[in-house]
Amino acid sequence: MTKYIQNITCQKESAMSEMTLDLQVLENLKPALTSFCYRMLGSIDDADDAVQEVYIRVWQSRDSFRQESSYKTWIYRIATNLCLDKLRQAKRRALPVDLSEPAASIIEPRETLPDSSWVWIAPDMGGNPEEAFIRKDTLQLCFIALLQTLPPRQRAVLILKDVFDWSSKEIAEALSLSPAAVNSALQRARETMNRTRLRSEELSRMEVQPDRELLTRYVDAFEQFDVDALVALFHEEGCMSMPPFPMWVRGKDDLFKFFSLTRSHCEGSRFLPVTVNGGYPAYAQYMPSPDASVLIPWGIHVIEAHDGKIRHVQNFINTKLFSRFGLPEQIDR
């Protein structure tokens, strides 16, 4: 009887140990899994939801793991299939400059498209220091938008190969494909990426070392709402876009008209610094509220510059992003 109890106890301890190990492996993989799902889905909220579902599916199907591949590969298979399921009925996400021509007449924007229409910014997802360059290089907004032009399975193959540096054999195991099928999908994906020319790719190349002085001048001009000073910071054909509004503005004259038109909405705003998409500096805009003592979230400005002038400001107007970035719900005036 004593031996029986000891055996049961050992089995329980072993099961608990395996459960702890499973959870620890998942926690260790979480930053990379979130990064993978974000590139696949184009939305950090969808990526967070997907990773939570991966946890549930791993736990529910843990007894089916047969060690025919590594535990990591098995988890990525679950994550990839989950993303493919989500993308099966989804429309392609994009950035405003890739959907239409710039506004022909400058009016206050009214029409919006659903959140599911847009590529959204993401906070730093953590990870190992040696992954920093990969995250920085392949988390540029124009690259995320370009990925969305690929069929979902090709997208997964390219991300695992060219971003995460997996071998064709590992990818084949994760996606339940043959190595030959992986190589074929990778070739087609690379051809599409090289052939596709998006306007966002021309406008939105994030400089490795952004011009801090230019960013500071933008913040100062916006907080003072000095329209002349603000417009002077842009290239002649500089742009501003504002998802979820499909309307976007190009050229100094139209930018001046737009900023003048929206003065009553933006005057009195303040900015808080934040980092997006692998560590790139951005600014969270808080706007005046009916309560005269506080400012409330409005949008997150990503300022992309070249040769000391702004080429494109993307103002992501989505207050749900503020909590995901760990930003306060309001700030004092």
Side-chain angles (χ1 to χ4, degrees), residues 1-11:
M1 186 67 176
T2 302
K3 285 186 177 181
Y4 175 77
I5 294 173
Q6 288 175 339
N7 287 337
I8 294 296
T9 302
C10 288
Q11 289 173 10

Side-chain angles (χ1 to χ4, degrees), residues 11 43 72 78 94 118 129 137 194 232 309 329:
Q11 289 173 10
S43 160
K72 174 182 173 182
I78 293 172
W118 306 112
D137 185 45
N194 289 332
K309 293 280 188 179
E329 294 182 2

Side-chain angles (χ1 to χ4, degrees), residues 145-164:
L146 194 55
L147 283 174
Q148 309 310 302
T149 67
L150 296 176
R153 196 169 293 276
Q154 289 183 27
R155 195 182 310 174
V157 169
L158 185 132
I159 292 168
L160 290 173
K161 182 67 174 179
D162 288 358
V163 177
F164 288 86

Side-chain angles (χ1 to χ4, degrees), residues 79-113:
T80 301
N81 287 331
L82 197 153
C83 288
L84 294 177
D85 288 344
K86 287 181 176 292
L87 291 167
R88 194 159 283 120
Q89 301 299 324
K91 294 182 179 179
R92 176 172 75 92
R93 290 178 180 270
L95 296 166
V97 295
D98 294 325
L99 283 185
S100 65
E101 294 301 313
S105 59
I106 304 305
I107 59 174
E108 188 171 348
R110 299 290 184 185
E111 177 195 0
T112 63
L113 295 180

Side-chain angles (χ1 to χ4, degrees), residues 33-313:
L33 274 175
T34 305
S35 179
F36 171 77
C37 292
Y38 171 64
R39 289 177 175 91
M40 285 290 294
L41 302 173
S43 160
I44 190 59
D45 284 343
D46 285 0
D48 285 342
D49 291 344
V51 171
Q52 290 303 314
E53 289 185 49
V54 169
Y55 273 53
I56 293 169
R57 292 191 185 187
V58 166
W59 179 247
Q60 291 176 338
S61 58
R62 64 193 183 282
D63 293 337
S64 68
F65 178 54
R66 297 288 181 261
Q67 297 185 342
E68 295 169 354
S69 60
S70 71
Y71 193 55
K72 174 182 173 182
T73 300
W74 180 67
I75 291 173
Y76 268 88
R77 180 184 302 159
I78 293 172
T80 301
N81 287 331
L82 197 153
C83 288
L84 294 177
D85 288 344
K86 287 181 176 292
L87 291 167
R88 194 159 283 120
Q89 301 299 324
K91 294 182 179 179
R92 176 172 75 92
R93 290 178 180 270
L95 296 166
V97 295
D98 294 325
L99 283 185
S100 65
E101 294 301 313
S105 59
I106 304 305
I107 59 174
E108 188 171 348
R110 299 290 184 185
E111 177 195 0
T112 63
L113 295 180
D115 284 357
S116 58
S117 303
W118 306 112
V119 169
W120 295 102
I121 49 176
D124 188 359
M125 286 162 267
N128 298 322
E130 60 268 23
E131 294 174 342
F133 175 76
I134 293 176
R135 291 203 316 274
K136 183 93 172 181
D137 185 45
T138 63
L139 283 171
Q140 292 187 38
L141 288 164
C142 57
F143 184 78
I144 300 297
L146 194 55
L147 283 174
Q148 309 310 302
T149 67
L150 296 176
R153 196 169 293 276
Q154 289 183 27
R155 195 182 310 174
V157 169
L158 185 132
I159 292 168
L160 290 173
K161 182 67 174 179
D162 288 358
V163 177
F164 288 86
D165 201 27
W166 284 32
S167 68
S168 295
K169 181 176 181 295
E170 289 174 314
I171 298 171
E173 291 173 350
L175 274 58
S176 300
L177 298 171
S178 69
V182 166
N183 291 332
S184 177
L186 180 63
Q187 180 179 352
R188 294 197 303 275
R190 286 173 174 168
E191 288 173 353
T192 300
M193 293 283 279
N194 289 332
R195 184 175 63 250
T196 304
R197 291 291 178 264
L198 298 179
R199 188 183 278 116
S200 59
E201 190 174 13
E202 299 173 13
L203 293 174
S204 305
R205 283 290 181 187
M206 296 180 178
E207 295 178 341
V208 176
Q209 295 295 333
D211 187 334
R212 296 283 180 174
E213 181 184 355
L214 180 63
L215 299 182
T216 299
R217 288 164 62 200
Y218 177 84
V219 170
D220 289 345
F222 202 106
E223 289 186 339
Q224 296 171 27
F225 218 74
D226 183 336
V227 175
D228 288 313
L230 200 52
V231 172
L233 300 175
F234 285 80
H235 282 280
E236 284 298 327
E237 293 299 306
C239 306
M240 170 169 272
S241 58
M242 304 145 290
F245 298 103
M247 170 191 173
W248 61 282
V249 180
R250 180 172 67 188
K252 280 190 172 185
D253 289 344
D254 283 351
L255 284 166
F256 185 91
K257 293 175 186 176
F258 181 79
F259 285 128
S260 299
L261 185 67
T262 57
R263 173 181 291 277
S264 62
H265 179 78
C266 292
E267 194 168 26
S269 293
R270 281 179 51 202
F271 287 90
L272 291 183
V274 69
T275 56
V276 304
N277 288 58
Y280 194 83
Y283 294 91
Q285 177 190 353
Y286 287 78
M287 59 172 281
S289 73
D291 181 347
S293 65
V294 298
L295 301 171
I296 56 176
W298 175 243
I300 297 179
H301 295 227
V302 181
I303 303 156
E304 291 141 348
H306 183 69
D307 291 338
K309 293 280 188 179
I310 296 171
R311 298 178 68 181
H312 188 194
V313 173

